[in-house]
Amino acid sequence: DVDSRIGVAFEAVLSRDPSPAEVGALASLYRKHLDEYSKDEKSALGLLSVGEMRPPEDIPASELAAWTSVVRAVLNLHEAITRY
């Protein structure tokens, strides 16, 4: 489910569990982007075409693009970015 996947992302990136507020915000972001990419598959495919790896074919492009947005948000949290 969405909350569990958000927890996995937090553990992988930040080595901690997300707060309920963080889960709520990221779940809302996921649903918003899933809705947007479901209506505009061309945009989802455009996002997924960036990079060297080909996206898996067994996951809908809209879902994968929405998760890409969520993980980008986690990776851009201040505590995930090392600043010198």
Side-chain angles (χ1 to χ4, degrees):
D1 73 329
V2 173
D3 292 2
S4 296
R5 288 181 181 193
I6 292 169
V8 169
F10 259 72
E11 184 62 37
V13 175
L14 303 172
S15 299
R16 70 171 178 85
D17 292 329
S19 71
E22 291 167 327
V23 171
L26 291 171
S28 176
L29 177 69
Y30 170 75
R31 287 188 299 274
K32 175 185 173 197
H33 283 224
L34 181 63
D35 182 56
E36 290 172 0
Y37 285 125
S38 293
K39 294 175 182 172
D40 185 6
E41 187 173 351
K42 184 176 179 181
S43 290
L45 293 171
L47 174 65
L48 300 176
S49 70
V50 176
E52 294 182 18
M53 286 188 64
R54 299 183 88 189
E57 295 181 12
D58 61 332
I59 302 173
S62 58
E63 184 177 342
L64 190 55
W67 280 115
T68 299
S69 296
V70 170
V71 173
R72 280 180 169 175
V74 174
L75 289 170
N76 280 296
L77 291 171
H78 284 286
E79 69 184 283
I81 300 171
T82 304
R83 298 176 186 235
Y84 294 96

